[in-house]
Amino acid sequence: EVHLVESGGGLVQAGGSLRLSCAASGFTFDDYAIGWFRQAPGKEREGVSAISFTDGNTHYTDSVKGRFTIFSDNVKKTVYLQMNNLKPEDTAVYYCAAARVLADLSTYHLLNTIKVLGSWGRGTPVTVSS
């Protein structure tokens, strides 16, 4: 059974950094992708970034490109989201999710596949003050 636990959220000033962790268990990474999503109050959950272990590709939504980096420690079975130059609009609850995926998907299709089919963690809140 897929089990995901997020950690690392908190309160940070604009321009600051946070590193989120998603500890995974119950499955092997080989044919999975793990994505980070966020949901701000009153807004829909949106995909932020994903890493696909089927092809090794990483993906980012446009609003976080150049600021966020996703990477994994396969020994620890943990996926990280390094968030730099944070902005108040990054404030949200951040979730990780995992799903079996095909290789070579576009960013749009990968994030939507994970969003629809994925198993989810409970989230970790991130607040960026101005």
Side-chain angles (χ1 to χ4, degrees), residues 23-44:
S25 61
F27 66 105
T28 56
F29 282 3
D30 295 356
D31 54 352
Y32 275 77
I34 293 179
W36 283 98
F37 297 76
R38 64 187 180 188
Q39 188 164 18
K43 294 189 176 181
E44 290 190 4

Side-chain angles (χ1 to χ4, degrees), residues 48-59:
V48 174
S49 180
I51 182 167
S52 174
F53 296 97
T54 61
D55 54 31
N57 292 332
T58 57
H59 301 258

Side-chain angles (χ1 to χ4, degrees), residues 4-21:
L4 303 169
V5 179
E6 302 94 334
S7 61
L11 173 64
V12 64
Q13 287 188 332
S17 298
L18 284 174
R19 179 178 291 183
L20 306 184
S21 300

Side-chain angles (χ1 to χ4, degrees), residues 37-101:
F37 297 76
R38 64 187 180 188
Q39 188 164 18
K43 294 189 176 181
E44 290 190 4
R45 191 170 297 187
E46 65 166 340
V48 174
S49 180
I51 182 167
S52 174
F53 296 97
T54 61
D55 54 31
N57 292 332
T58 57
H59 301 258
Y60 302 93
T61 194
D62 286 346
S63 62
V64 307
K65 283 181 181 176
R67 300 189 298 123
F68 291 10
T69 303
I70 190 169
F71 61 99
S72 69
D73 182 329
N74 291 3
V75 174
K76 293 183 178 179
K77 295 194 72 176
T78 300
V79 172
Y80 302 93
L81 185 67
Q82 178 66 43
M83 306 188 296
N84 297 331
N85 190 21
L86 282 160
K87 303 176 181 180
E89 52 263 42
D90 294 318
T91 295
V93 178
Y94 283 70
Y95 301 87
C96 65
R100 280 198 173 96
V101 297

